[in-house]
Amino acid sequence: MPEKMIEKMPEKMIEEKRNKTAVITGGSRGIGAAIAARLAAEGCDIALIYHGNTQKAEAVRAEIEENYGRKCRAYRCDVADGAACKETVKAILAE
């Protein structure tokens, strides 16, 4: 489905996203996983932030890398914890 949606988007919009990293909270399931897949289809690398289910996060990560050929990393973080968020962002930027 994302591929069909991309066909309708102006090339300039897609080009602006290529080779950038999108940080997605709640990326291990539902809307977060769908957004991550869409942005990967548009050419973004993905930083998935999840709180509890490492297995689901790793499944989404593997699916994005396999289906879209984009770099995808999963980071466990409680987004309610400001210090943890800062450390996670530092880790993302270090890669």
Side-chain angles (χ1 to χ4, degrees):
M1 180 160 158
E3 291 80 13
K4 290 180 182 177
M5 297 168 104
I6 290 172
E7 290 173 9
K8 297 178 183 178
M9 293 180 66
E11 184 62 31
K12 182 180 179 196
M13 288 178 69
I14 295 170
E15 197 59 43
E16 288 173 354
K17 294 177 185 172
R18 285 201 177 117
N19 301 316
K20 294 188 179 178
T21 300
V23 179
I24 311 295
T25 59
S28 66
R29 59 194 173 102
I31 294 171
I35 291 169
R38 170 65 188 260
L39 291 172
E42 293 177 8
C44 290
D45 289 333
I46 305 295
L48 288 176
I49 296 180
Y50 70 98
H51 182 254
N53 195 322
T54 301
Q55 189 174 13
K56 284 185 180 179
E58 285 300 316
V60 172
R61 183 202 57 74
E63 181 180 326
I64 287 172
E65 288 187 344
E66 181 178 322
N67 292 337
Y68 304 104
R70 302 305 309 173
K71 178 176 142 186
C72 183
R73 301 291 178 261
Y75 300 87
R76 187 172 185 161
C77 178
D78 178 358
V79 296
D81 180 343
C85 290
K86 287 180 183 180
E87 291 303 312
T88 301
V89 170
K90 284 180 188 177
I92 293 167
L93 292 173
E95 288 204 26

